[in-house]
Amino acid sequence: YSAQMSFDPIISHTYYFYLRKNGSDALSMIAPGEWGRNFPFERCVATVRLLADHTWDVIYHEVSYEE
């Protein structure tokens, strides 16, 4: 895991991989639409799910969630 995260990911749970405005990245449990008006990231790069073999199922996003 190379992204910053403040939790231990759980197998089969969905998470969101974000790019910060400073160029670093972070993994979050909060979906892009759940942030409200204060979206703290540059964009959501992907929706990810941790698999049982500790690899990630990744669905990349082409859109920016900035308002």
Side-chain angles (χ1 to χ4, degrees):
Y1 317 139
S2 65
Q4 179 188 358
M5 61 184 112
S6 56
F7 58 92
D8 290 324
I10 298 171
I11 293 170
S12 297
H13 284 230
T14 300
Y15 302 101
Y16 304 92
F17 186 73
Y18 293 100
L19 177 64
R20 288 194 172 101
K21 294 175 183 174
N22 68 6
S24 65
D25 36 53
L27 191 67
S28 176
M29 293 181 273
I30 302 172
E34 297 174 337
W35 288 100
R37 296 179 190 206
N38 295 322
F39 187 70
F41 301 99
E42 181 72 29
R43 68 187 197 98
C44 182
V45 177
T47 298
V48 299
R49 189 169 52 98
L50 184 60
L51 302 176
D53 64 358
H54 290 267
T55 61
W56 294 93
D57 179 29
V58 179
I59 301 170
Y60 289 96
H61 300 283
E62 297 296 323
V63 298
S64 173
Y65 289 93
E66 288 183 45
E67 292 187 30

